[in-house]
Amino acid sequence: MRAAILVNGVPASGKSTVARLIAAETASPLLTLDTIKEAFFNHLGTGDRFYNRTLGRASYEAVFALIADFPDGVTAVIDAWFGFQPIETLERHIARAGLGQIVELWCHAPPAIIGARYLARVSERPAGHLGAGYVPELIELASRAGPTGRFPVIDVDTSDPRATAGLVVRVRDALRRPSN
């Protein structure tokens, strides 16, 4: 059976930074939705918001399809916003990937900080991602978003510089606990 650390949060919530830290500290493979989606952008081109979301759904499925081929005993770190698809879609992907033990890291910050982070990196992101016009919607989304509610959750306030202190130990402890 494989395990997963779901690093969840809205765009610009700090999840990629947290995911890279966890993957490095645990020597776990890191799969990010954006890495796959950006490869699709490079080969299939960019388009409107519907096209962006379509490639996002394909990337989401690809992440779990890759994990299904990992050997038993591997723990994957998955960096994605798990709230952009129905929870049933996530549950189907988890079942197909053969994931048994799962812990969720809920990455968040005050909505204004998330909006400022997103805006600051718009010019640096590859073509295909939503632009500065998305910021008001993202701020509203950040004000109401939350973890999936399906797995043990470790809260990570990425606006607090101390948020990652002891995080790897907490993740390892959560993965040792029996699944429900």
Side-chain angles (χ1 to χ4, degrees), residues 20-179:
R20 283 190 297 271
L21 170 82
I22 296 296
E25 292 291 322
T26 62
S28 297
L30 171 62
L31 297 160
T32 75
L33 195 70
D34 280 351
T35 299
I36 295 171
K37 188 160 82 167
E38 289 165 7
F40 287 162
F41 288 156
N42 290 339
H43 292 276
L44 302 173
T46 62
D48 61 11
R49 189 167 183 171
F50 176 78
Y51 184 75
N52 180 302
R53 294 272 167 93
T54 300
L55 291 184
R57 286 189 302 275
S59 302
Y60 194 58
E61 184 172 341
V63 164
F64 291 95
L66 289 166
I67 293 169
D69 283 336
F70 287 0
D72 282 344
V74 170
T75 297
V77 177
I78 307 169
D79 168 1
W81 161 226
F82 292 98
F84 88 104
Q85 291 294 299
I87 192 68
E88 296 79 19
T89 301
L90 174 59
E91 290 169 342
R92 279 193 308 276
H93 289 328
I94 285 169
R96 274 190 242 127
L99 292 169
Q101 192 71 24
I102 298 172
V103 64
E104 178 178 0
L105 304 186
W106 174 244
C107 296
H108 63 91
I113 290 175
I114 287 176
R117 285 177 183 166
Y118 192 91
L119 192 57
R121 68 181 194 199
V122 163
S123 64
E124 300 166 7
R125 300 210 65 198
H129 289 283
L130 300 177
Y134 177 58
V135 172
E137 182 181 339
L138 176 61
I139 289 171
E140 194 280 320
L141 175 64
S143 72
R144 61 180 165 78
T148 65
R150 295 294 206 272
F151 314 103
V153 174
I154 297 173
D155 187 82
V156 185
D157 179 350
T158 61
S159 67
D160 181 350
R162 301 164 298 175
T164 57
L167 187 57
V168 173
V169 171
R170 292 170 55 204
V171 167
R172 285 184 174 137
D173 287 348
L175 286 172
R176 280 191 209 101
R177 290 186 205 114
S179 305

